[in-house]
Amino acid sequence: RATIYKIIESDSLNAGALQETVVNIIAEDLSDYARRLTIPTLLIWGKHDKATPVATAEKLHTLIVGSRLEVCPDAAHFVHHEKAAEVGSLIEGFL
């Protein structure tokens, strides 16, 4: 299990007492919630994210009317750490 989590870059292995909660969150279908969003929404994703693939971002993007999707080509699951300056610029530009 640890090897698989490491391969997909999952942080659920490090969740400790919250591991079950993290697993439930990952498994939850957020489609209905996404469809109800009416505020400007920026989705930032790492192209090489194995835990939550870009296909997930694309699905959310189609469900959230008027959303903007930015995919960072050289990042994975922890895009906010891997490309902090780029993510900051995207957020600043969005705001």
Side-chain angles (χ1 to χ4, degrees):
R1 183 183 269 184
T3 301
I4 291 171
Y5 285 165
K6 185 173 182 174
I7 290 169
I8 65 169
E9 300 163 351
S10 173
D11 50 354
S12 62
L13 187 63
N14 299 319
L18 296 176
Q19 185 171 0
E20 184 178 341
T21 300
V22 171
V23 170
N24 289 336
I25 290 169
I26 292 168
E28 186 174 4
D29 182 3
L30 301 174
S31 299
D32 289 336
Y33 298 105
R35 283 186 196 97
R36 289 188 263 169
L37 286 174
T38 59
I39 59 173
T41 303
L42 173 63
L43 302 165
I44 302 173
W45 233 262
K47 181 178 180 178
H48 304 290
D49 189 336
K50 297 174 188 169
T52 48
V54 174
T56 302
E58 291 167 345
K59 179 181 178 184
L60 289 171
H61 179 51
T62 62
L63 294 173
I64 303 170
V65 175
S67 64
R68 179 173 143 196
L69 172 60
E70 295 288 344
V71 178
C72 297
D74 299 322
H77 186 64
F78 298 103
V79 64
H80 55 293
H81 288 290
E82 298 167 30
K83 299 292 179 180
E86 184 177 341
V87 168
S89 292
L90 289 169
I91 294 170
E92 185 176 36
F94 182 73
L95 295 175

